[in-house]
């Protein structure tokens, strides 16, 4: 075809060439990267293997130490268990004693509380009784005063009566 078609095809060809070159470079770069990663990993694995062997040796040593410690601990445990059994039985006796002390203390506290309550009630009753006594005393005083007034009136009436009786007797004898 025309010149324009050849030009367009030329551009397409160039773009394809560039694309293939980029892909080739990318693949080769990836391959190099993969090799480096693989060698790094293998060297890391070697390092891990060496470390693992060292650690396994240390673990074996620790296990021996632990076994020795366990043997010692077992002997100590037996002594400890015996001591703990003795302590436990002592604690039971102590707990029982403590329980008795607490119960007696509680009983004593209850008795004291009851006595305080009774004392308070008695004080309140005493106050009430004192008020009643004072009220009754006042009423009694009032009644005495009234009685005295009535007695005075009676005495006056008696005197008046006696006076009239005397004058009546005199009149009647005349």
């Amino acid at each position: 075809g025309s010149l324009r078609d050849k030009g367009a095809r030329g551009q397409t060809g160039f773009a394809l060439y560039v694309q293939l070159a980029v892909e080739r470079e990318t693949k080769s770069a990836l391959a190099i990267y993969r090799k480096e990663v693989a060698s790094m990993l293998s060297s890391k694995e070697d390092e891990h293997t060496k470390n693992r062997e060292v650690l396994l040796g240390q673990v074996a040593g620790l296990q021996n130490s632990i076994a020795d410690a366990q043997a010692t601990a077992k002997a100590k445990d037996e002594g400890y268990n015996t001591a703990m059994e003795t302590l436990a039985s002592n604690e039971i006796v102590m707990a029982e004693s403590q329980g008795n002390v607490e119960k007696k203390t509680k009983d004593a506290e209850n008795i004291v509380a009851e006595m305080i309550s009774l004392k308070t009630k008695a004080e309140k009753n005493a106050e009430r009784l004192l008020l009643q006594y004072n009220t009754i005393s006042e009423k009694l005083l009032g009644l005495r005063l009234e009685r005295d007034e009535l007695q005075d009136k009676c005495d006056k009436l008696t005197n008046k009566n006696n006076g009239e009786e005397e004058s009546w007797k005199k009149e009647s004898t005349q």
Side-chain angles (χ1 to χ4, degrees):
S2 68
L3 196 60
R4 186 187 292 159
D5 287 344
K6 282 182 184 169
R9 227 178 298 131
Q11 277 184 339
T12 308
F14 181 70
L16 194 61
Y17 168 78
V18 167
Q19 187 183 339
L20 287 172
V22 166
E23 279 178 14
R24 203 174 29 251
E25 287 300 314
T26 303
K27 280 180 185 168
S28 95
L30 274 172
I32 291 167
Y33 176 72
R34 281 195 187 111
K35 277 183 192 165
E36 284 177 1
V37 167
S39 83
M40 270 172 56
L41 284 174
S42 83
S43 78
K44 284 277 180 212
E45 273 178 24
D46 291 346
E47 202 178 309
H48 279 310
T49 305
K50 282 178 195 159
N51 287 344
R52 190 166 179 271
E53 284 166 8
V54 169
L55 287 172
L56 283 174
Q58 288 175 348
V59 166
L62 283 173
Q63 282 173 335
N64 290 337
S65 300
I66 287 170
D68 293 347
Q70 280 174 336
T72 307
K74 189 180 179 195
K76 285 184 180 174
D77 248 7
E78 285 164 6
Y80 172 79
N81 288 341
T82 306
M84 284 308 282
E85 282 166 15
T86 307
L87 187 65
S89 69
N90 288 350
E91 277 180 356
I92 289 168
V93 173
M94 264 176 63
E96 285 170 0
S97 302
Q98 185 65 33
N100 289 341
V101 167
E102 281 170 12
K103 189 183 180 311
K104 295 225 179 341
T105 303
K106 194 79 184 142
D107 291 349
E109 283 170 0
N110 289 341
I111 290 168
V112 169
E114 213 172 302
M115 285 167 69
I116 290 170
S117 167
L118 288 172
K119 181 178 175 259
T120 307
K121 282 181 189 166
E123 284 169 354
K124 283 182 182 167
N125 282 343
E127 283 172 24
R128 193 171 44 77
L129 289 172
L130 189 63
L131 281 172
Q132 285 178 348
Y133 173 80
N134 288 340
T135 307
I136 290 168
S137 294
E138 284 171 19
K139 283 183 183 169
L140 199 58
L141 187 64
L143 289 172
R144 282 190 185 133
L145 289 173
E146 281 179 37
R147 187 200 62 194
D148 290 350
E149 281 175 24
L150 287 172
Q151 189 63 55
D152 284 352
K153 284 181 184 173
C154 280
D155 290 350
K156 284 177 187 168
L157 286 172
T158 304
N159 288 341
K160 190 177 174 189
N161 263 354
N162 286 345
E164 281 178 10
E165 212 175 282
E166 286 297 314
S167 66
W168 179 73
K169 280 182 182 172
K170 285 178 187 172
E171 281 174 21
S172 63
T173 55
Q174 287 174 356

